[in-house]
Every structure is written in structure tokens, then in C-alpha cells.
Amino acid sequence: EKCIHMLFEGGFAPLIVAALAEFTTNYPLAKEALFTATNIFAGGTEDQKMLLVQMGVLQLIVQWLKHSNAGDFQILCNCLEGIENILQCEFGPSCANLLAEHGFLEVLQDLSNSHNQSVARMATQIGNTYFSESN
């Protein structure tokens, strides 16, 4: 948590988002930014998480999932874990709407049919937990 706090205090949040947006042109940098963002989603404060959401990180993660190498299962799992952590927050329902608006449901559908059992299980769990008609 101290490291995450230092990132925000140092003004690095916009740089993380900018680096994440470079996933088609600078994959290694964007990959590190993705890991940083999902680590913040896992261990940051609600305010830190919300700031990244407001800066467009969820949309970028959905874009990453739409265009990612389907064989990079670590990245797919990391993205799904980050999204699930956000959906568990107090502002999760509004994030679910935002994700749906950016095509995440279609991505979940595709990932739930993944040949990788971990990816398929995570995608199905997220879909059933946060996007089923009963929610």
C-alpha cells in the first residue's frame, strides 16, 4: 500500500494510464502499466481505484482484452482479476455499467469459451456474478 500511495503522491497515475494506452505500439511498457494498474485495483484505496477508473483504465483494459494475444493467458487472467477487484468495490455497479458500454460482455463471452481453463473459469464467474440478469 505504501508503494501505491507513493505512485499517486508522485503524480504517476496519468503516466500509468498513458503507458497502458500504448499497448499496440509499445507492448512491453504497456504490459508493465497493466500490471501496475491491476495491482492498484487489488491493493489501492477506494479513491485510488476510482481515480484510475475516471482516467479511463477500465476502457483501456477492455480494449487490451479485445486486441490481446489470446495465448498470453497471464495477461488475460491479470486483466480479469483487475476487473473483478473493481467490480467488488463500493462503486462496482457503476463500473459494471461502464464496462458493458465498452463491449466487455462480448469479451467475457469470448473468454468464457477460452481453451485455457483458468481464463474460461474466471470469465464465466465474473459474468455470472456481476452481469447476470438477476444482478
Side-chain angles (χ1 to χ4, degrees):
E1 291 180 14
K2 183 177 180 182
C3 291
I4 292 172
H5 178 74
M6 290 172 59
L7 284 172
F8 281 89
E9 288 297 311
F12 287 99
L15 298 174
I16 294 166
V17 177
L20 184 57
E22 297 292 323
F23 69 92
T24 59
T25 57
N26 190 344
Y27 183 82
L29 176 65
K31 184 176 177 179
E32 293 303 320
L34 174 67
F35 287 136
T36 302
T38 57
N39 283 337
I40 292 168
F41 287 168
T45 66
E46 295 284 308
D47 289 342
Q48 292 165 340
K49 295 173 190 180
M50 180 54 91
L51 179 61
L52 287 186
V53 168
Q54 291 171 341
M55 295 175 86
V57 168
L58 287 181
Q59 296 93 314
L60 289 169
I61 291 175
V62 171
Q63 289 303 310
W64 185 295
L65 288 169
K66 287 180 180 179
H67 299 98
S68 72
N69 177 353
D72 194 342
F73 300 118
Q74 179 187 12
I75 292 289
L76 296 175
C77 286
N78 198 272
C79 289
L80 291 173
E81 287 173 5
I83 288 172
E84 185 168 31
N85 284 329
I86 284 298
L87 292 171
Q88 293 171 354
C89 291
E90 65 184 53
F91 53 88
S94 62
C95 290
N97 293 334
L98 179 67
L99 286 163
E101 290 170 10
H102 286 88
F104 184 62
L105 298 178
E106 293 81 11
V107 171
L108 268 184
Q109 180 80 29
D110 291 343
L111 293 176
S112 67
N113 296 316
S114 172
H115 295 298
N116 181 281
Q117 290 180 351
S118 295
V119 171
R121 189 175 334 118
M122 289 177 75
T124 300
Q125 178 182 332
I126 290 170
N128 290 341
T129 304
Y130 302 101
F131 296 99
S132 70
E133 291 182 22
S134 62
N135 288 332

